[in-house]
Amino acid sequence: MNGGSTLVTVATAAHQSSLSLEVMSSRRTVSLVTLGCARNEVDSEELAGRLAADGWDLVDSDNGEKADVVVVNTCGFIEAAKRDSIEALLDAADEGTKVVAAGCMAERYGSELATALPEAQVLGFDDYTEISDRLDDVLEGRTLVPHDPRDRRTLLPISPAERPGRQAAHVPGHSGFEPLPDGVAPASGPPVARRRLGGGPVANLKIASGCDRRCTFCAIPAFRGAYISRRPDDVVREAEWLSGQGVRELFLVSENSTSYGKDLGDLRALEALLPRLSAVEGIERVRVSYLQPAEVRPGLIEVLAGTPGVVPYFDLSFQHASGPLLRRMRRFGDRKRFLELLAAVRAQAPEAGIRSNFIVGFPGETEEEFAELVSFLEDARLDAIGVFGYSDEDGTEAAGLEGKLPEEIVAERVERLSRLAEELMAQRSEERIGSTVEVLIEAELDDGTFEGRAAHQAPEVDGSTIVYGHGLTVGDMATATVTAALGADLVAETATDLPDAP
């Protein structure tokens, strides 16, 4: 794997401290720090479940609790995320604690990271099944031998149809479940390889890992591997377990949810899975993340828009709107096709929540192509818009493309598009004033004031809704009327709190 010099530079810039050895105590304690996406959060909860099952005590370092070892589940997606991961590792080492790097950056760089950052020991995905033994080694002063980076796509057959049961390596977050005996409630069934690290009525649920697409800017397939779906029964069983943990909303996560089931021989598997999940007792809402526009089928739109308990939420990975530029990204579609897709969605669900991310300054991007993206956003009426400036990623095809734009031009376009995005998101929120929304209450702020999310708002990325009402508790689904918009956020009141209520 190339790009080691970049990693060394980032690590050296943040290189501030070294670890001190401590005597291992009889009570083994561990703290898990999670960076990056919702998929990483699921992986951390797998590690937590495995460690708890083997007798480790999980402590919260954010609350000042001291742990024997801190495991940082790193993100290795883009340069900024890698820098954040290295800073988190060094911050943990500053406390004199033994530190272990896991997650995407650790998997992606392996021995390179171990050399660049001697403060931390490094674990790859294949160490997860023996995480307790690896941490015991760390506590006892044994140096772990980090793996050499490899392309994890080579660990599965090229043909998706040949992949089930052929994993040559561990796939994080893909726990299996034994069937429950008759009459046994989900919460009291067989133990699961997962332990929730946070409370609240919302939980991420992984349905697949990896990616078979070859976008020129993305390194994820190389270190996450080829696409592999979880078995539907396993997904449903985990949903039942989560419901027993007090979860009311399931957020389905993967690198590409629209490909779910292709390696199981069923391209419509997601359409079949969603009604099963929404029927799980205690689950109020099911939400799907990361849909590839080129793979969004009419049947999938119908299920997302018309299935009770499944929110009409469309997280569409457009990335740009210029057809020629998208081809250079090895992606499909253009402004016209994307607008047609949005019209098809809104024909079935006029109030659907729609979000997307966009890359600005991709190699060769002209002012005309940038203007086409601006025009698309002005017409698209998206609820949430993420804007990212292009940067080279180690091992990607785009890193070798000609036509790189100067950093100042990329930054200027990011600023222009971000300002426009904020205006457009605020306009879309204002369009919802006067409408009725169903808000999942996630926190009580003050007496009679609560915070939650409406159907068009996904966790952490799409804003939230402040609700004025009485008699509500966390986990409730409140019916409220939108009275104001604050950027992407909404303010709403329940019927008993509206001015003209009897």
Side-chain angles (χ1 to χ4, degrees):
M1 177 176 294
N2 58 24
S5 58
T6 301
L7 180 66
V8 171
T9 300
V10 173
T12 302
H15 204 282
Q16 299 173 346
S17 61
S18 61
L19 289 175
S20 62
L21 295 177
E22 297 179 353
V23 178
M24 179 179 171
S25 65
S26 59
R27 177 176 177 259
R28 299 178 301 170
T29 58
V30 59
S31 175
L32 285 158
V33 177
T34 305
L35 304 174
C37 65
R39 300 181 295 275
N40 254 18
E41 293 178 9
V42 176
D43 296 348
S44 285
E45 293 190 348
E46 175 198 331
L47 294 176
R50 293 181 181 279
L51 289 167
D54 205 42
W56 287 77
D57 290 332
L58 304 176
V59 301
D60 187 353
S61 57
D62 289 338
N63 291 334
E65 296 181 80
K66 181 76 171 179
D68 295 320
V69 59
V70 175
V71 177
V72 179
N73 189 354
T74 61
C75 179
F77 181 37
I78 57 176
E79 193 67 21
K82 288 182 279 189
R83 185 171 288 106
D84 288 344
S85 294
I86 289 173
E87 290 177 355
L89 290 164
L90 290 175
D91 286 344
D94 278 341
E95 302 298 324
T97 306
K98 295 179 173 62
V99 180
V100 171
C104 291
M105 188 174 72
E107 175 62 40
R108 184 177 182 184
Y109 292 103
S111 55
E112 296 179 21
L113 177 61
T115 299
L117 200 71
E119 288 85 350
Q121 306 240 37
V122 177
L123 297 178
F125 294 152
D126 293 338
D127 292 304
Y128 282 19
T129 57
E130 298 179 347
I131 182 66
S132 180
D133 291 340
R134 298 291 78 77
L135 296 194
D136 278 339
D137 289 338
V138 171
L139 289 185
E140 293 171 9
R142 292 190 288 270
T143 301
L144 303 182
V145 179
H147 65 281
D148 291 324
R150 57 179 175 173
D151 189 334
R152 292 183 74 86
R153 289 172 293 191
T154 62
L155 304 180
L156 288 171
I158 294 176
S159 170
E162 297 176 1
R163 290 176 191 164
R166 295 285 299 279
Q167 296 96 311
H170 181 64
V171 182
H174 281 227
S175 303
F177 296 86
E178 296 297 326
L180 284 174
D182 291 339
V184 176
S188 60
V192 300
R194 179 175 181 178
R195 174 167 172 166
R196 294 199 72 197
L197 294 174
V202 183
N204 303 313
L205 178 56
K206 186 176 285 192
I207 62 172
S209 289
C211 186
D212 287 339
R213 304 185 73 87
R214 294 295 181 266
C215 302
T216 57
F217 56 83
C218 184
I220 289 176
F223 58 85
R224 274 291 184 179
Y227 195 87
I228 182 165
S229 305
R230 293 184 66 193
R231 297 283 183 180
D233 288 348
D234 285 346
V235 177
V236 173
R237 275 284 295 111
E238 188 162 339
E240 293 170 342
W241 178 79
L242 288 168
S243 176
Q245 300 286 309
V247 170
R248 295 296 169 259
E249 177 176 326
L250 301 173
F251 189 34
L252 308 189
V253 299
S254 72
E255 277 77 16
N256 176 9
S257 295
T258 38
S259 282
Y260 178 74
K262 70 175 187 178
D263 51 322
L264 303 177
D266 184 2
L267 290 175
R268 299 180 181 275
L270 185 57
E271 288 97 305
L273 176 64
L274 289 172
R276 292 184 63 188
L277 293 174
S278 65
V280 171
E281 185 177 355
I283 297 300
E284 298 281 349
R285 285 202 307 216
V286 179
R287 184 187 305 275
V288 185
S289 70
Y290 214 82
L291 307 173
Q292 287 288 346
E295 298 178 15
V296 175
R297 305 167 292 277
L300 179 57
I301 295 176
E302 182 177 348
V303 170
L304 288 171
T307 304
V310 176
V311 294
Y313 177 81
F314 293 79
D315 176 14
L316 295 163
S317 175
F318 289 130
Q319 303 297 350
H320 210 277
S322 164
L325 188 142
L326 285 165
R327 302 304 172 269
R328 295 199 294 277
M329 291 181 171
R330 294 199 187 281
R331 296 180 65 84
F332 303 95
D334 52 34
R335 176 176 175 274
K336 178 176 180 293
R337 289 181 176 86
F338 291 164
L339 290 175
E340 289 173 348
L341 174 58
L342 296 178
V345 168
R346 290 179 171 132
Q348 297 194 47
E351 296 303 315
I354 305 175
R355 83 171 323 274
S356 191
N357 294 323
F358 299 90
I359 296 175
V360 175
F362 189 80
E365 182 188 57
T366 64
E367 275 291 347
E368 291 75 18
E369 289 170 333
F370 179 75
E372 190 164 9
L373 174 56
V374 169
S375 178
F376 169 72
L377 287 180
E378 291 173 339
D379 293 337
R381 295 174 55 239
L382 301 179
D383 292 279
I385 302 167
V387 179
F388 299 90
Y390 171 82
S391 62
D392 287 339
E393 274 302 304
D394 302 333
T396 62
E397 183 179 345
L401 293 178
E402 297 180 353
K404 300 290 176 57
L405 302 183
E407 290 184 7
E408 58 270 23
I409 292 180
V410 175
E412 187 270 337
R413 290 182 183 176
V414 168
E415 183 179 359
R416 283 164 55 190
L417 201 67
S418 296
R419 287 200 306 267
L420 175 64
E422 290 178 3
E423 295 173 6
L424 295 173
M425 288 188 290
Q427 291 174 15
R428 183 68 182 119
S429 292
E430 290 171 0
E431 292 176 10
R432 295 186 182 274
I433 295 176
S435 66
T436 299
V437 291
E438 297 291 327
V439 181
L440 178 62
I441 302 300
E442 298 182 39
E444 182 174 1
L445 305 180
D446 295 299
D447 184 35
T449 306
F450 302 84
E451 184 175 14
R453 289 174 300 99
H456 69 281
Q457 296 170 321
E460 300 183 2
V461 293
D462 291 347
S464 62
T465 299
I466 301 298
V467 177
Y468 293 97
H470 292 88
L472 298 175
T473 60
V474 172
D476 283 349
M477 193 70 72
T479 301
T481 299
V482 179
T483 59
L486 304 170
D489 300 325
L490 300 178
V491 177
E493 299 182 10
T494 60
T496 56
D497 290 270
L498 292 174
D500 58 350

